[in-house]
Amino acid sequence: MGLIRSVQELLATLLGLARTRLELLSVEMQELLARLVLIMIGAVAAILLAALALGFGAVALVMAVPAEYRVAVTAGLALTFLAAAAIIGWHVRREAKVRAFAASLGELKHDAEALEPRE
């Protein structure tokens, strides 16, 4: 009877451990989705507002310079916008490298290391 009880306790412990890990995974998933929604809303709003501001600013600047310099000013603005787009793209790419479920994966790795036989 002692062996059966030990096996039952081991199974109960393993189920509890699995439940804890799944709860952590669920919490991380909710945080990830909330973060993604906020990032998407913020990105769309920033893009729209920046496009409006840059468009109106560029038109005002081109209209403010004398006619003979308008082509040069327009080309300069285009290069400036291109550089800004490259910088923003680099930042977005860097942010996209954040690993999802890092805490869950770390805990599972820790659990696996704890269960390995020791010499």
Side-chain angles (χ1 to χ4, degrees):
M1 285 300 189
L3 180 61
I4 293 174
R5 181 172 292 282
S6 294
V7 170
Q8 287 174 338
E9 289 175 1
L10 177 63
L11 286 175
T13 302
L14 289 175
L15 287 175
L17 183 63
R19 179 174 175 244
T20 301
R21 297 300 177 245
L22 287 174
E23 286 175 356
L24 176 61
L25 184 64
S26 172
V27 168
E28 283 187 332
M29 180 66 92
Q30 289 173 349
E31 289 175 356
L32 184 65
L33 289 176
R35 183 173 158 230
L36 180 62
V37 167
L38 288 176
I39 288 172
M40 295 296 285
I41 290 171
V44 169
I47 288 169
L48 289 174
L49 292 173
L52 284 171
L54 290 174
F56 282 115
V59 169
L61 183 61
V62 169
M63 289 174 54
V65 297
E68 62 267 10
Y69 299 115
R70 286 187 180 155
V71 173
V73 169
T74 303
L77 285 170
L79 289 174
T80 302
F81 292 159
L82 182 62
I87 291 169
I88 291 169
W90 176 75
H91 282 289
V92 168
R93 186 174 181 188
R94 188 181 65 173
E95 183 65 27
K97 290 183 181 180
V98 173
R99 189 171 182 190
F101 308 115
S104 291
L105 293 172
E107 286 298 321
L108 288 173
K109 182 179 178 183
H110 182 264
D111 293 343
E113 289 172 355
L115 293 174
E116 289 178 1
R118 298 175 192 228
E119 296 178 22

